[in-house]
Amino acid sequence: MDAHLSAFNHEKLSYAAFPVNGNKQPISEFALTRFSQCLLGNRRFHTKWESREVFQRKAFSLVVPNGLFIGDAASEETFFIEHSFTQQEAVNRVIAGNADATLAICEIGNNTVDLSVYHKHKLAPVFPPLNTTTAYLAFSNSFYSKHENVAKLVWQQLAKQPISSHYAQLLHLNVTD
């Protein structure tokens, strides 16, 4: 793989090139967008989530699909975390009652992602989002070392594009039930 969308962290620099400054900090102008993830659950889950105790530990089971992450919310130690290969597999576990909630991308930039496809199963996102991360186009170190000028040009050109609204529309078209 030559490139992928990724949140930045210093550990990833061992295998991926991000648009960074001389201090190895990401250059925010070259961010593609922000992704926000919400918990997706049924009405009963929403009620339990809203009334949870601050120090409540391991109160909820959460299915995290590949490609999504729990982020700082894991530090609350609120969740029994399970993993699934796909978003649909995660949603199916929640529908079947085998998990309390899953994660779903609910906002891209300032655009809300339409998750109404899940309403027929009585699932809805919990707002505000559980976490938000900034996404960059990261190149493999191998690609970057061979094509540094091309990578920099791509970052510069992508910075000029309205990526968030287009990505939100594409994600909506690809949400399956």
Side-chain angles (χ1 to χ4, degrees), residues 28-165:
S28 61
E29 296 83 43
F30 294 139
L32 284 180
T33 191
R34 289 180 333 275
F35 288 102
S36 296
Q37 299 176 134
C38 291
L39 295 168
L40 181 67
N42 60 27
R43 182 176 294 143
R44 183 172 164 249
F45 170 73
H46 282 242
T47 302
K48 287 172 56 180
W49 180 253
E50 290 168 9
S51 65
R52 72 191 182 283
E53 298 291 327
V54 174
F55 298 109
Q56 201 171 9
R57 297 171 58 109
K58 305 291 185 198
F60 304 100
S61 58
L62 178 68
V63 182
V64 179
N66 280 348
L68 300 185
F69 66 98
I70 188 68
D72 293 337
S75 65
E76 294 178 22
E77 298 184 15
T78 306
F79 302 106
F80 285 106
I81 298 173
E82 306 171 41
H83 297 276
S84 70
F85 287 108
T86 66
Q87 180 76 50
Q88 190 60 49
E89 180 186 338
V91 168
N92 289 344
R93 287 189 201 172
V94 176
I95 291 169
N98 297 326
D100 293 311
T102 185
L103 288 175
I105 295 174
C106 57
E107 292 179 346
I108 300 175
N110 296 322
N111 303 282
T112 301
V113 175
D114 182 0
L115 297 174
S116 62
V117 68
Y118 299 120
H119 290 176
K120 67 181 168 188
H121 298 293
K122 299 184 174 47
L123 301 180
V126 175
F127 282 92
L130 187 64
N131 60 49
T132 299
T133 188
T134 302
Y136 295 88
L137 180 63
F139 292 98
S140 70
N141 283 339
S142 173
F143 180 90
Y144 187 77
S145 68
K146 294 175 189 169
H147 308 286
E148 182 176 346
N149 291 336
V150 171
K152 289 178 178 179
L153 180 62
V154 168
W155 286 327
Q156 291 168 356
Q157 293 303 310
L158 286 174
K160 299 175 184 177
Q161 303 300 313
I163 301 287
S164 296
S165 60

Side-chain angles (χ1 to χ4, degrees), residues 8 10 13 20-26:
F8 173 84
H10 287 93
L13 291 174
V20 295
N21 62 24
N23 296 328
K24 301 288 185 202
Q25 295 302 313

